[in-house]
Amino acid sequence: MKLWSDSWTNGDRIPERHAAGRPDGAGGATFSDNLSPHLAWSDLPAGTQSLVMICHDFDVPTRADDVNQPGREVPADLPRADFFHWVLVDLPPAPAEIVEGAFSRGFTPRGKPGPAVQGVPGAESARHGLNDYTNWFAGHAAMAGQYFGDDGPFPPWNDSLVHHYVFTLYAVAVPRLPLQGVFDGHAVRRELAGRVLGEATFSGTYTLNARLLSESP
């Protein structure tokens, strides 16, 4: 299996238009274009009946004490955890690509609707799981809600660690995963057990830390 994108080269910095957050010019951050990226695949295993796409950031701080606090940085050696940015299941194997902007254009307060995918030709049978902005905004009066679908990078603007975002495409031996109602990335990973015929990954990095941005070539 192969997975790639015309949006950036594997392992490089993710373009700002694909992020949920961008630098605000004053050392902090604000919302960005949040366009879902172009992704394409080939060489699927024989017997593939559907696809699952998961994007996660494995560099999310496990403690929020220093997150987005002026005058300090989140320590690089702080233990980190997964943050799901996109959970997509039951995607037909063809057409063999996702067009840029097909699943997200802009950041939607309280979240985009789901689980059913709407308005994406060729993906009518697909379903979206919750991403982890659902948890992040849970206590925010204006933003709390269920966040389905793709919402891109918005790491802490003072994190001393550059974040890594991994898109994993799974070739699945069944046309529909046995998931009911609302589900998240953890539930999908459990249901994939024994049903995966192959997988491929594509990744990128992103930071909003003004110091790190000024030091990058």
Side-chain angles (χ1 to χ4, degrees):
M1 283 181 64
K2 297 178 182 178
L3 178 65
W4 71 93
S5 175
D6 291 341
S7 298
W8 69 88
T9 302
N10 188 35
D12 283 356
R13 176 175 166 84
I14 296 172
E16 195 173 278
R17 69 182 185 277
H18 297 302
R22 61 175 175 79
D24 65 2
T30 188
F31 286 106
S32 190
D33 298 328
N34 200 38
L35 287 177
S36 55
H38 166 268
L39 292 164
W41 52 88
S42 64
D43 301 334
L44 298 180
T48 299
Q49 295 193 51
S50 67
L51 302 173
V52 167
M53 178 73 71
I54 292 177
C55 175
H56 79 287
D57 169 10
F58 56 77
D59 292 313
V60 174
T62 53
R63 291 177 54 185
D65 306 43
D66 298 311
V67 168
N68 297 336
Q69 297 297 317
R72 50 183 168 171
E73 290 190 347
V74 178
D77 60 357
L78 187 74
R80 305 288 169 145
D82 285 349
F83 185 106
F84 290 98
H85 282 267
W86 193 3
V87 180
L88 176 64
V89 306
D90 307 336
L91 183 68
E97 70 173 343
I98 292 172
V99 177
E100 180 175 305
F103 286 96
S104 180
R105 288 182 174 271
F107 197 86
T108 304
R110 302 191 183 279
K112 293 186 284 292
V117 170
Q118 301 175 5
V120 182
E124 291 84 359
S125 64
R127 292 178 290 163
H128 273 137
L130 294 176
N131 67 51
D132 278 330
Y133 285 106
T134 302
N135 300 323
W136 178 256
F137 287 120
H140 194 294
M143 300 294 287
Q146 290 186 316
Y147 285 75
F148 290 95
D150 174 51
D151 286 307
F154 202 144
W157 50 258
N158 66 335
D159 200 340
S160 57
L161 195 67
V162 175
H163 286 225
H164 295 77
Y165 300 82
V166 181
F167 294 82
T168 305
L169 182 71
Y170 298 91
V172 184
V174 296
R176 183 178 175 89
L177 286 181
L179 294 158
Q180 303 299 321
V182 176
F183 54 89
D184 61 13
H186 298 289
V188 172
R189 284 177 170 173
R190 289 193 296 269
E191 293 298 340
L192 283 173
R195 297 184 172 98
V196 176
L197 300 173
E199 63 183 81
T201 61
F202 180 81
S203 67
T205 63
Y206 200 72
T207 182
L208 293 170
N209 186 313
R211 176 183 64 79
L212 296 178
L213 290 170
S214 68
E215 293 173 356
S216 63

